[in-house]
Amino acid sequence: MLRGPPRDRGDARRRPGAHGRRDARRRQRRPRRAPRRADSQAALGEGFLDVRRDGRPVNRVHPQPPIALTIAGSDSGGGAGIQADLHTFAAHGVHGTSVLTAITAQNTRGVTAAEPVAAGLVRAQLDAVLGDFPVAAVKTGMLGGAELLELVAEYGQADRLPNLVVDPVMVTTTGDPLYAGDPAAYLGGLGPLATVMTPNLIEARQLLGREIESVEEMREAARALATYGPRAVLVKGGHLDRDGAAAVDVLWCDGQMLDLSAPRVATRNDHGTGCTLASAIAARLALGHPLPQAVAGAKVYVTEAMKAAAAWRLGTGRGPLHHHHGRKSAAL
Ligand SMILES: Nc1ncnc2c1ncn2[C@@H]1O[C@H](COP(=O)(O)OP(=O)(O)OP(=O)(O)O)[C@@H](O)[C@H]1O
Ligand SMILES: Cc1ncc(CO)c(N)n1
Protein backbone atom coordinates (compact mmCIF):
# COMPACT_ATOMS: atom_id res chain seq x y z
CA MET A 1 0.00 0.00 0.00
CA LEU A 2 1.31 3.47 -0.84
CA ARG A 3 1.68 5.82 2.05
CA GLY A 4 2.10 9.60 1.76
CA PRO A 5 3.85 11.80 4.31
CA PRO A 6 2.11 12.18 7.65
CA ARG A 7 -0.62 14.79 7.41
CA ASP A 8 -0.25 18.02 9.37
CA ARG A 9 -3.14 17.89 11.82
CA GLY A 10 -2.42 21.24 13.51
CA ASP A 11 -0.55 22.24 16.59
CA ALA A 12 -3.20 21.42 19.14
CA ARG A 13 -2.90 17.73 18.30
CA ARG A 14 0.87 17.81 18.71
CA ARG A 15 0.81 18.84 22.36
CA PRO A 16 3.08 16.56 24.37
CA GLY A 17 1.17 13.71 25.91
CA ALA A 18 -1.90 14.14 23.70
CA HIS A 19 -1.06 11.22 21.44
CA GLY A 20 -0.02 9.02 24.33
CA ARG A 21 -3.41 9.42 26.00
CA ARG A 22 -5.26 8.86 22.72
CA ASP A 23 -3.21 5.75 21.91
CA ALA A 24 -3.89 4.34 25.36
CA ARG A 25 -7.62 4.91 24.86
CA ARG A 26 -7.43 3.35 21.40
CA ARG A 27 -5.71 0.28 22.85
CA GLN A 28 -8.50 -0.06 25.38
CA ARG A 29 -11.13 0.29 22.65
CA ARG A 30 -9.89 -2.51 20.40
CA PRO A 31 -12.54 -3.41 17.82
CA ARG A 32 -14.60 -6.22 19.21
CA ARG A 33 -14.44 -9.37 17.16
CA ALA A 34 -17.78 -10.82 16.08
CA PRO A 35 -18.59 -13.86 18.22
CA ARG A 36 -17.80 -17.16 16.53
CA ARG A 37 -20.91 -18.99 15.51
CA ALA A 38 -21.58 -22.32 13.89
CA ASP A 39 -22.02 -21.86 10.16
CA SER A 40 -25.52 -23.29 10.27
CA GLN A 41 -26.53 -20.64 12.79
CA ALA A 42 -24.95 -17.91 10.71
CA ALA A 43 -26.86 -19.18 7.69
CA LEU A 44 -30.13 -18.65 9.53
CA GLY A 45 -29.25 -14.96 9.64
CA GLU A 46 -29.05 -13.48 13.12
CA GLY A 47 -30.77 -10.16 13.75
CA PHE A 48 -29.45 -6.81 14.81
CA LEU A 49 -31.09 -7.43 18.15
CA ASP A 50 -30.96 -10.34 20.55
CA VAL A 51 -33.84 -10.92 22.91
CA ARG A 52 -33.76 -11.62 26.63
CA ARG A 53 -35.77 -14.54 28.00
CA ASP A 54 -38.66 -12.21 28.80
CA GLY A 55 -38.73 -11.06 25.17
CA ARG A 56 -37.17 -7.62 25.73
CA PRO A 57 -34.54 -6.88 23.09
CA VAL A 58 -30.87 -6.61 24.01
CA ASN A 59 -29.18 -3.85 22.07
CA ARG A 60 -26.32 -5.88 20.65
CA VAL A 61 -25.17 -5.43 17.08
CA HIS A 62 -24.84 -8.51 14.91
CA PRO A 63 -22.80 -8.77 11.76
CA GLN A 64 -25.77 -8.97 9.44
CA PRO A 65 -29.54 -8.49 9.51
CA PRO A 66 -32.06 -11.32 9.41
CA ILE A 67 -34.20 -11.62 6.29
CA ALA A 68 -37.97 -11.33 5.95
CA LEU A 69 -40.16 -11.84 2.90
CA THR A 70 -43.36 -10.05 1.98
CA ILE A 71 -45.74 -11.64 -0.53
CA ALA A 72 -48.08 -8.77 -1.37
CA GLY A 73 -49.41 -6.25 -3.85
CA SER A 74 -47.94 -2.90 -4.85
CA ASP A 75 -49.62 0.32 -3.69
CA SER A 76 -48.57 3.10 -6.06
CA GLY A 77 -49.26 5.62 -3.27
CA GLY A 78 -46.59 3.98 -1.11
CA GLY A 79 -48.73 3.75 2.04
CA ALA A 80 -49.78 0.09 2.09
CA GLY A 81 -48.83 -3.22 0.46
CA ILE A 82 -45.26 -4.07 -0.51
CA GLN A 83 -44.12 -0.49 0.00
CA ALA A 84 -45.33 -0.32 3.63
CA ASP A 85 -43.89 -3.77 4.32
CA LEU A 86 -40.41 -2.92 3.05
CA HIS A 87 -40.41 0.38 5.01
CA THR A 88 -41.38 -1.57 8.11
CA PHE A 89 -38.71 -4.24 7.64
CA ALA A 90 -36.07 -1.53 7.11
CA ALA A 91 -37.24 0.37 10.21
CA HIS A 92 -36.67 -2.84 12.19
CA GLY A 93 -33.18 -3.43 10.77
CA VAL A 94 -34.39 -6.46 8.82
CA HIS A 95 -33.47 -7.07 5.19
CA GLY A 96 -36.67 -7.15 3.15
CA THR A 97 -37.26 -9.36 0.14
CA SER A 98 -40.50 -9.23 -1.85
CA VAL A 99 -42.75 -11.27 -4.08
CA LEU A 100 -45.17 -9.06 -5.97
CA THR A 101 -48.66 -10.52 -6.41
CA ALA A 102 -50.54 -7.58 -7.94
CA ILE A 103 -50.14 -4.04 -9.15
CA THR A 104 -52.67 -1.52 -7.95
CA ALA A 105 -53.15 2.05 -9.13
CA GLN A 106 -53.89 3.58 -5.76
CA ASN A 107 -53.57 6.77 -3.78
CA THR A 108 -54.87 8.15 -0.50
CA ARG A 109 -58.40 8.35 -1.96
CA GLY A 110 -58.79 4.84 -3.31
CA VAL A 111 -57.92 2.18 -5.88
CA THR A 112 -58.56 3.01 -9.54
CA ALA A 113 -57.15 -0.16 -11.14
CA ALA A 114 -55.66 -3.50 -10.07
CA GLU A 115 -54.18 -6.43 -11.95
CA PRO A 116 -52.77 -9.67 -10.60
CA VAL A 117 -49.26 -10.81 -11.50
CA ALA A 118 -49.30 -14.05 -13.52
CA ALA A 119 -48.98 -17.16 -11.34
CA GLY A 120 -45.85 -18.29 -13.21
CA LEU A 121 -44.11 -15.03 -12.40
CA VAL A 122 -45.16 -15.22 -8.75
CA ARG A 123 -43.72 -18.74 -8.61
CA ALA A 124 -40.48 -17.55 -10.22
CA GLN A 125 -40.17 -14.77 -7.61
CA LEU A 126 -40.80 -17.23 -4.77
CA ASP A 127 -38.17 -19.61 -6.16
CA ALA A 128 -35.67 -16.80 -6.67
CA VAL A 129 -36.00 -15.52 -3.11
CA LEU A 130 -36.41 -18.81 -1.26
CA GLY A 131 -33.73 -20.53 -3.35
CA ASP A 132 -31.08 -18.02 -2.30
CA PHE A 133 -31.93 -16.25 0.97
CA PRO A 134 -32.29 -17.87 4.41
CA VAL A 135 -35.67 -16.21 4.99
CA ALA A 136 -36.53 -16.12 8.71
CA ALA A 137 -40.14 -14.87 8.52
CA VAL A 138 -42.80 -14.32 5.88
CA LYS A 139 -45.80 -12.01 5.61
CA THR A 140 -48.62 -12.40 3.10
CA GLY A 141 -50.79 -9.46 2.11
CA MET A 142 -52.93 -9.00 -1.01
CA LEU A 143 -53.20 -12.30 -2.88
CA GLY A 144 -56.10 -11.17 -5.07
CA GLY A 145 -57.84 -14.52 -5.48
CA ALA A 146 -57.81 -18.29 -5.05
CA GLU A 147 -55.09 -19.04 -7.63
CA LEU A 148 -52.28 -17.14 -5.87
CA LEU A 149 -53.58 -18.17 -2.46
CA GLU A 150 -53.24 -21.84 -3.45
CA LEU A 151 -49.80 -21.21 -4.92
CA VAL A 152 -48.57 -19.63 -1.68
CA ALA A 153 -50.15 -22.48 0.32
CA GLU A 154 -48.15 -24.95 -1.79
CA TYR A 155 -44.89 -23.33 -0.59
CA GLY A 156 -46.17 -23.30 2.99
CA GLN A 157 -47.05 -26.99 2.82
CA ALA A 158 -43.51 -27.68 1.63
CA ASP A 159 -42.25 -25.96 4.84
CA ARG A 160 -40.69 -23.11 2.90
CA LEU A 161 -42.51 -20.23 4.63
CA PRO A 162 -41.25 -20.04 8.25
CA ASN A 163 -42.91 -17.80 10.84
CA LEU A 164 -45.83 -17.12 8.50
CA VAL A 165 -47.92 -14.01 9.22
CA VAL A 166 -51.12 -14.11 7.15
CA ASP A 167 -52.92 -10.79 6.72
CA PRO A 168 -56.09 -11.90 4.90
CA VAL A 169 -56.37 -8.71 2.84
CA MET A 170 -59.83 -8.37 1.31
CA VAL A 171 -60.68 -4.65 1.24
CA THR A 172 -58.78 -1.37 1.57
CA THR A 173 -59.34 1.26 4.25
CA THR A 174 -61.26 3.17 1.57
CA GLY A 175 -63.57 0.19 0.94
CA ASP A 176 -62.14 -1.06 -2.38
CA PRO A 177 -62.15 -4.86 -2.82
CA LEU A 178 -58.71 -6.54 -3.13
CA TYR A 179 -59.76 -10.20 -3.05
CA ALA A 180 -62.07 -11.86 -5.54
CA GLY A 181 -62.11 -15.44 -4.19
CA ASP A 182 -64.11 -17.28 -1.57
CA PRO A 183 -63.08 -16.05 1.92
CA ALA A 184 -63.27 -19.64 3.18
CA ALA A 185 -60.29 -20.49 0.95
CA TYR A 186 -58.14 -18.41 3.30
CA LEU A 187 -59.04 -20.56 6.25
CA GLY A 188 -58.66 -23.87 4.45
CA GLY A 189 -55.56 -22.88 2.46
CA LEU A 190 -53.42 -20.75 4.75
CA GLY A 191 -55.09 -21.20 8.17
CA PRO A 192 -53.23 -24.40 9.11
CA LEU A 193 -49.90 -22.97 7.90
CA ALA A 194 -50.07 -19.60 9.65
CA THR A 195 -48.13 -18.74 12.76
CA VAL A 196 -50.55 -15.86 13.15
CA MET A 197 -53.53 -14.54 11.14
CA THR A 198 -54.38 -10.85 11.42
CA PRO A 199 -57.90 -10.11 10.07
CA ASN A 200 -59.46 -6.70 10.59
CA LEU A 201 -63.08 -6.53 11.66
CA ILE A 202 -64.48 -6.63 8.12
CA GLU A 203 -62.26 -9.58 7.15
CA ALA A 204 -63.12 -11.50 10.32
CA ARG A 205 -66.83 -10.99 9.52
CA GLN A 206 -66.33 -12.29 5.96
CA LEU A 207 -64.23 -15.25 7.10
CA LEU A 208 -66.78 -16.36 9.68
CA GLY A 209 -69.95 -15.11 7.95
CA ARG A 210 -71.25 -13.39 11.08
CA GLU A 211 -71.48 -9.94 12.64
CA ILE A 212 -68.82 -8.77 15.08
CA GLU A 213 -69.82 -5.65 16.99
CA SER A 214 -67.91 -5.65 20.28
CA VAL A 215 -64.59 -6.60 21.86
CA GLU A 216 -66.25 -9.68 23.37
CA GLU A 217 -67.40 -10.75 19.88
CA MET A 218 -63.86 -10.11 18.59
CA ARG A 219 -62.57 -12.52 21.25
CA GLU A 220 -65.13 -15.14 20.18
CA ALA A 221 -64.12 -14.59 16.54
CA ALA A 222 -60.42 -15.06 17.35
CA ARG A 223 -61.17 -18.35 19.11
CA ALA A 224 -63.36 -19.51 16.21
CA LEU A 225 -60.73 -18.63 13.58
CA ALA A 226 -58.04 -20.45 15.56
CA THR A 227 -59.95 -23.72 15.09
CA TYR A 228 -58.82 -23.62 11.44
CA GLY A 229 -55.24 -24.22 12.53
CA PRO A 230 -53.17 -21.05 12.98
CA ARG A 231 -51.10 -20.93 16.16
CA ALA A 232 -52.50 -17.45 16.90
CA VAL A 233 -55.20 -15.09 15.66
CA LEU A 234 -55.14 -11.33 16.08
CA VAL A 235 -58.50 -9.71 15.40
CA LYS A 236 -57.80 -6.00 14.84
CA GLY A 237 -60.18 -3.41 16.17
CA GLY A 238 -59.19 -0.37 14.12
CA HIS A 239 -62.70 -0.28 12.61
CA LEU A 240 -64.52 -0.68 15.95
CA ASP A 241 -65.65 2.36 17.96
CA ARG A 242 -63.76 4.88 15.81
CA ASP A 243 -64.63 7.73 18.20
CA GLY A 244 -63.52 5.80 21.30
CA ALA A 245 -60.41 6.49 23.38
CA ALA A 246 -58.65 3.22 22.55
CA ALA A 247 -57.87 1.00 19.58
CA VAL A 248 -58.30 -2.52 20.97
CA ASP A 249 -57.10 -5.69 19.24
CA VAL A 250 -57.51 -9.19 20.67
CA LEU A 251 -54.91 -11.93 20.44
CA TRP A 252 -55.69 -15.60 20.89
CA CYS A 253 -52.32 -17.31 21.19
CA ASP A 254 -51.45 -20.81 22.45
CA GLY A 255 -54.82 -21.10 24.17
CA GLN A 256 -54.64 -17.72 25.93
CA MET A 257 -56.59 -14.52 25.26
CA LEU A 258 -54.85 -11.17 25.45
CA ASP A 259 -56.36 -7.72 24.86
CA LEU A 260 -53.93 -5.31 23.23
CA SER A 261 -55.06 -1.76 23.73
CA ALA A 262 -53.46 1.50 22.60
CA PRO A 263 -54.60 5.11 22.75
CA ARG A 264 -56.61 5.89 19.61
CA VAL A 265 -54.77 8.43 17.46
CA ALA A 266 -56.97 11.21 16.10
CA THR A 267 -55.86 11.32 12.48
CA ARG A 268 -57.13 10.71 8.98
CA ASN A 269 -53.81 9.03 8.12
CA ASP A 270 -54.60 5.36 8.67
CA HIS A 271 -53.73 4.00 5.23
CA GLY A 272 -51.73 0.78 5.53
CA THR A 273 -52.06 0.28 9.29
CA GLY A 274 -52.88 -3.42 8.82
CA CYS A 275 -49.98 -4.05 6.40
CA THR A 276 -47.62 -2.23 8.74
CA LEU A 277 -48.78 -4.19 11.77
CA ALA A 278 -48.44 -7.59 10.02
CA SER A 279 -45.00 -6.81 8.61
CA ALA A 280 -43.81 -5.48 11.98
CA ILE A 281 -44.86 -8.82 13.51
CA ALA A 282 -42.92 -10.68 10.78
CA ALA A 283 -39.87 -8.43 11.30
CA ARG A 284 -39.92 -9.08 15.03
CA LEU A 285 -40.30 -12.84 14.52
CA ALA A 286 -37.30 -12.69 12.16
CA LEU A 287 -35.38 -10.96 14.95
CA GLY A 288 -36.23 -13.80 17.30
CA HIS A 289 -38.94 -12.23 19.47
CA PRO A 290 -41.42 -14.71 20.99
CA LEU A 291 -44.84 -14.51 19.29
CA PRO A 292 -46.93 -12.61 21.89
CA GLN A 293 -44.13 -10.07 22.42
CA ALA A 294 -43.71 -9.70 18.65
CA VAL A 295 -47.42 -8.87 18.29
CA ALA A 296 -47.53 -6.51 21.27
CA GLY A 297 -44.34 -4.74 20.13
CA ALA A 298 -45.69 -4.41 16.59
CA LYS A 299 -48.85 -2.76 17.93
CA VAL A 300 -46.75 -0.18 19.79
CA TYR A 301 -44.74 0.44 16.60
CA VAL A 302 -47.94 1.07 14.57
CA THR A 303 -49.34 3.43 17.19
CA GLU A 304 -46.10 5.45 17.23
CA ALA A 305 -46.01 5.49 13.41
CA MET A 306 -49.58 6.84 13.36
CA LYS A 307 -48.82 9.48 15.99
CA ALA A 308 -45.75 10.67 14.11
CA ALA A 309 -47.70 11.09 10.85
CA ALA A 310 -50.92 12.42 12.41
CA ALA A 311 -50.50 15.94 11.01
CA TRP A 312 -49.10 14.95 7.60
CA ARG A 313 -51.00 15.90 4.45
CA LEU A 314 -49.21 13.75 1.87
CA GLY A 315 -52.34 13.29 -0.22
CA THR A 316 -55.87 14.63 -0.11
CA GLY A 317 -57.35 11.48 1.47
CA ARG A 318 -56.28 8.93 4.08
CA GLY A 319 -52.51 9.17 4.11
CA PRO A 320 -49.68 6.85 5.13
CA LEU A 321 -47.90 6.36 8.45
CA HIS A 322 -44.41 7.51 9.41
CA HIS A 323 -42.62 4.15 9.29
CA HIS A 324 -39.25 5.62 10.24
CA HIS A 325 -40.40 7.65 13.23
CA GLY A 326 -37.71 8.21 15.81
CA ARG A 327 -34.91 8.00 13.22
CA LYS A 328 -32.81 10.68 11.63
CA SER A 329 -32.92 11.01 7.87
CA ALA A 330 -29.91 9.47 6.14
CA ALA A 331 -29.51 12.85 4.41
CA LEU A 332 -28.80 14.71 7.67
N1 LIG B 1 -56.85 5.65 14.96
C1 LIG B 1 -56.08 4.67 15.44
N2 LIG B 1 -55.30 4.86 16.51
C2 LIG B 1 -54.51 3.90 17.00
N3 LIG B 1 -54.44 2.66 16.48
C3 LIG B 1 -55.21 2.39 15.39
C4 LIG B 1 -56.08 3.37 14.82
N4 LIG B 1 -56.68 2.82 13.73
C5 LIG B 1 -56.22 1.55 13.65
N5 LIG B 1 -55.36 1.29 14.65
C6 LIG B 1 -54.62 0.05 14.88
O1 LIG B 1 -53.91 -0.25 13.67
C7 LIG B 1 -53.82 -1.65 13.52
C8 LIG B 1 -54.44 -2.05 12.19
O2 LIG B 1 -55.82 -2.15 12.39
P1 LIG B 1 -56.95 -1.95 11.31
O3 LIG B 1 -58.17 -2.55 11.89
O4 LIG B 1 -57.01 -0.51 10.92
O5 LIG B 1 -56.34 -2.80 10.12
P2 LIG B 1 -56.68 -2.79 8.59
O6 LIG B 1 -58.08 -2.35 8.36
O7 LIG B 1 -56.31 -4.14 8.09
O8 LIG B 1 -55.70 -1.70 8.02
P3 LIG B 1 -55.47 -1.25 6.48
O9 LIG B 1 -56.54 -1.88 5.65
O10 LIG B 1 -55.54 0.25 6.53
O11 LIG B 1 -54.12 -1.71 6.12
C9 LIG B 1 -54.52 -2.25 14.73
O12 LIG B 1 -53.57 -2.50 15.74
C10 LIG B 1 -55.50 -1.16 15.14
O13 LIG B 1 -55.89 -1.25 16.49
C1 LIG C 1 -51.68 -3.35 -2.36
C2 LIG C 1 -52.46 -3.21 -1.11
N1 LIG C 1 -52.41 -4.19 -0.19
C3 LIG C 1 -53.09 -4.08 0.97
C4 LIG C 1 -53.86 -2.97 1.21
C5 LIG C 1 -54.65 -2.89 2.51
O1 LIG C 1 -54.38 -1.81 3.22
C6 LIG C 1 -53.87 -1.94 0.24
N2 LIG C 1 -54.60 -0.81 0.42
N3 LIG C 1 -53.18 -2.09 -0.90
Side-chain angles (χ1 to χ4, degrees), residues 246-271:
V248 182
D249 304 344
V250 302
L251 177 69
W252 175 251
C253 180
D254 297 331
Q256 284 203 315
M257 190 66 75
L258 247 155
D259 286 2
L260 301 174
S261 178
R264 189 168 274 276
V265 181
T267 178
R268 70 179 192 192
N269 297 329
D270 59 358
H271 184 93

Short mmCIF file of all heavy atoms in Angstrom, two decimals, residues 246-271:
data_model
loop_
_atom_site.label_atom_id
_atom_site.label_comp_id
_atom_site.label_asym_id
_atom_site.label_seq_id
_atom_site.Cartn_x
_atom_site.Cartn_y
_atom_site.Cartn_z
N ALA A 246 -59.68 4.24 22.75
CA ALA A 246 -58.65 3.22 22.55
C ALA A 246 -58.89 2.44 21.26
O ALA A 246 -60.02 2.32 20.79
CB ALA A 246 -58.65 2.26 23.75
N ALA A 247 -57.79 1.94 20.70
CA ALA A 247 -57.87 1.00 19.58
C ALA A 247 -57.50 -0.36 20.17
O ALA A 247 -56.36 -0.60 20.54
CB ALA A 247 -56.91 1.39 18.48
N VAL A 248 -58.51 -1.25 20.27
CA VAL A 248 -58.30 -2.52 20.97
C VAL A 248 -58.26 -3.68 19.96
O VAL A 248 -59.17 -3.84 19.15
CB VAL A 248 -59.44 -2.76 21.99
CG1 VAL A 248 -59.20 -4.06 22.76
CG2 VAL A 248 -59.57 -1.59 22.95
N ASP A 249 -57.20 -4.45 20.03
CA ASP A 249 -57.10 -5.69 19.24
C ASP A 249 -57.14 -6.86 20.23
O ASP A 249 -56.77 -6.68 21.40
CB ASP A 249 -55.77 -5.77 18.48
CG ASP A 249 -55.53 -4.56 17.58
OD1 ASP A 249 -56.49 -3.83 17.29
OD2 ASP A 249 -54.37 -4.37 17.17
N VAL A 250 -57.55 -8.03 19.77
CA VAL A 250 -57.51 -9.19 20.67
C VAL A 250 -56.64 -10.28 20.05
O VAL A 250 -56.71 -10.55 18.86
CB VAL A 250 -58.92 -9.74 21.00
CG1 VAL A 250 -59.79 -8.66 21.63
CG2 VAL A 250 -59.60 -10.31 19.79
N LEU A 251 -55.83 -10.88 20.90
CA LEU A 251 -54.91 -11.93 20.44
C LEU A 251 -55.21 -13.24 21.15
O LEU A 251 -55.16 -13.31 22.39
CB LEU A 251 -53.46 -11.51 20.75
CG LEU A 251 -52.38 -12.55 20.38
CD1 LEU A 251 -52.26 -12.71 18.87
CD2 LEU A 251 -51.01 -12.16 20.97
N TRP A 252 -55.53 -14.25 20.36
CA TRP A 252 -55.69 -15.60 20.89
C TRP A 252 -54.43 -16.36 20.50
O TRP A 252 -54.12 -16.54 19.32
CB TRP A 252 -56.93 -16.26 20.29
CG TRP A 252 -57.17 -17.69 20.65
CD1 TRP A 252 -57.04 -18.77 19.83
CD2 TRP A 252 -57.60 -18.20 21.91
NE1 TRP A 252 -57.36 -19.92 20.50
CE2 TRP A 252 -57.71 -19.61 21.79
CE3 TRP A 252 -57.90 -17.62 23.15
CZ2 TRP A 252 -58.10 -20.43 22.85
CZ3 TRP A 252 -58.30 -18.44 24.20
CH2 TRP A 252 -58.39 -19.82 24.06
N CYS A 253 -53.62 -16.71 21.50
CA CYS A 253 -52.32 -17.31 21.19
C CYS A 253 -52.04 -18.46 22.16
O CYS A 253 -52.07 -18.26 23.38
CB CYS A 253 -51.22 -16.24 21.32
SG CYS A 253 -49.58 -16.86 20.97
N ASP A 254 -51.77 -19.63 21.63
CA ASP A 254 -51.45 -20.81 22.45
C ASP A 254 -52.48 -21.02 23.55
O ASP A 254 -52.13 -21.27 24.72
CB ASP A 254 -50.06 -20.66 23.08
CG ASP A 254 -48.97 -20.59 22.02
OD1 ASP A 254 -49.16 -21.16 20.93
OD2 ASP A 254 -47.94 -19.94 22.27
N GLY A 255 -53.76 -20.83 23.21
CA GLY A 255 -54.82 -21.10 24.17
C GLY A 255 -55.04 -20.00 25.18
O GLY A 255 -55.77 -20.19 26.17
N GLN A 256 -54.43 -18.83 24.98
CA GLN A 256 -54.64 -17.72 25.93
C GLN A 256 -55.16 -16.49 25.19
O GLN A 256 -54.73 -16.23 24.07
CB GLN A 256 -53.32 -17.36 26.59
CG GLN A 256 -52.92 -18.36 27.66
CD GLN A 256 -51.96 -17.72 28.64
OE1 GLN A 256 -51.04 -17.04 28.22
NE2 GLN A 256 -52.17 -17.96 29.91
N MET A 257 -56.05 -15.74 25.87
CA MET A 257 -56.59 -14.52 25.26
C MET A 257 -55.92 -13.30 25.86
O MET A 257 -55.77 -13.20 27.07
CB MET A 257 -58.11 -14.46 25.52
CG MET A 257 -58.82 -13.39 24.75
SD MET A 257 -58.81 -13.66 22.96
CE MET A 257 -60.01 -14.97 22.81
N LEU A 258 -55.52 -12.40 25.00
CA LEU A 258 -54.85 -11.17 25.45
C LEU A 258 -55.51 -9.98 24.76
O LEU A 258 -55.69 -10.02 23.53
CB LEU A 258 -53.41 -11.21 24.95
CG LEU A 258 -52.26 -11.33 25.92
CD1 LEU A 258 -51.08 -11.95 25.19
CD2 LEU A 258 -51.88 -9.96 26.43
N ASP A 259 -55.88 -8.96 25.50
CA ASP A 259 -56.36 -7.72 24.86
C ASP A 259 -55.17 -6.80 24.68
O ASP A 259 -54.40 -6.58 25.62
CB ASP A 259 -57.39 -7.02 25.76
CG ASP A 259 -58.72 -7.75 25.75
OD1 ASP A 259 -58.83 -8.80 25.09
OD2 ASP A 259 -59.66 -7.25 26.41
N LEU A 260 -55.01 -6.26 23.48
CA LEU A 260 -53.93 -5.31 23.23
C LEU A 260 -54.58 -3.96 22.94
O LEU A 260 -55.23 -3.78 21.91
CB LEU A 260 -53.08 -5.76 22.04
CG LEU A 260 -52.42 -7.13 22.17
CD1 LEU A 260 -51.72 -7.52 20.87
CD2 LEU A 260 -51.40 -7.10 23.30
N SER A 261 -54.39 -3.04 23.85
CA SER A 261 -55.06 -1.76 23.73
C SER A 261 -54.03 -0.64 23.59
O SER A 261 -52.97 -0.69 24.22
CB SER A 261 -55.91 -1.53 24.99
OG SER A 261 -56.54 -0.27 24.91
N ALA A 262 -54.34 0.34 22.75
CA ALA A 262 -53.46 1.50 22.60
C ALA A 262 -54.33 2.74 22.50
O ALA A 262 -55.49 2.65 22.05
CB ALA A 262 -52.61 1.36 21.34
N PRO A 263 -53.81 3.89 22.90
CA PRO A 263 -54.60 5.11 22.75
C PRO A 263 -54.94 5.33 21.28
O PRO A 263 -54.09 5.14 20.41
CB PRO A 263 -53.65 6.22 23.23
CG PRO A 263 -52.52 5.55 23.91
CD PRO A 263 -52.47 4.13 23.44
N ARG A 264 -56.21 5.67 21.01
CA ARG A 264 -56.61 5.89 19.61
C ARG A 264 -56.04 7.23 19.14
O ARG A 264 -56.19 8.25 19.82
CB ARG A 264 -58.14 5.87 19.48
CG ARG A 264 -58.61 5.87 18.04
CD ARG A 264 -60.09 5.57 17.97
NE ARG A 264 -60.36 4.13 17.97
CZ ARG A 264 -60.34 3.37 16.87
NH1 ARG A 264 -60.05 3.89 15.70
NH2 ARG A 264 -60.61 2.08 16.94
N VAL A 265 -55.38 7.22 18.00
CA VAL A 265 -54.77 8.43 17.46
C VAL A 265 -55.80 9.15 16.59
O VAL A 265 -56.42 8.53 15.72
CB VAL A 265 -53.53 8.09 16.60
CG1 VAL A 265 -52.87 9.36 16.06
CG2 VAL A 265 -52.53 7.26 17.42
N ALA A 266 -56.00 10.44 16.88
CA ALA A 266 -56.97 11.21 16.10
C ALA A 266 -56.28 11.69 14.83
O ALA A 266 -55.50 12.64 14.85
CB ALA A 266 -57.45 12.41 16.92
N THR A 267 -56.51 10.99 13.75
CA THR A 267 -55.86 11.32 12.48
C THR A 267 -56.64 10.73 11.33
O THR A 267 -57.36 9.75 11.51
CB THR A 267 -54.42 10.75 12.43
OG1 THR A 267 -53.82 11.06 11.16
CG2 THR A 267 -54.40 9.25 12.62
N ARG A 268 -56.52 11.35 10.15
CA ARG A 268 -57.13 10.71 8.98
C ARG A 268 -56.11 9.81 8.28
O ARG A 268 -56.43 9.13 7.32
CB ARG A 268 -57.69 11.76 8.03
CG ARG A 268 -56.62 12.56 7.33
CD ARG A 268 -57.26 13.56 6.39
NE ARG A 268 -56.26 14.14 5.51
CZ ARG A 268 -56.49 15.19 4.74
NH1 ARG A 268 -57.65 15.81 4.78
NH2 ARG A 268 -55.56 15.66 3.96
N ASN A 269 -54.86 9.81 8.77
CA ASN A 269 -53.81 9.03 8.12
C ASN A 269 -53.73 7.61 8.70
O ASN A 269 -52.92 7.34 9.59
CB ASN A 269 -52.46 9.75 8.26
CG ASN A 269 -52.49 11.09 7.55
OD1 ASN A 269 -53.18 11.24 6.55
ND2 ASN A 269 -51.77 12.07 8.07
N ASP A 270 -54.59 6.74 8.19
CA ASP A 270 -54.60 5.36 8.67
C ASP A 270 -54.48 4.37 7.51
O ASP A 270 -54.89 3.22 7.59
CB ASP A 270 -55.86 5.07 9.49
CG ASP A 270 -57.14 5.30 8.69
OD1 ASP A 270 -57.05 5.72 7.51
OD2 ASP A 270 -58.23 5.06 9.22
N HIS A 271 -53.88 4.84 6.42
CA HIS A 271 -53.73 4.00 5.23
C HIS A 271 -52.55 3.04 5.45
O HIS A 271 -51.43 3.49 5.69
CB HIS A 271 -53.47 4.91 4.03
CG HIS A 271 -53.38 4.21 2.72
ND1 HIS A 271 -54.47 4.03 1.90
CD2 HIS A 271 -52.34 3.63 2.08
CE1 HIS A 271 -54.09 3.38 0.81
NE2 HIS A 271 -52.80 3.13 0.89
#
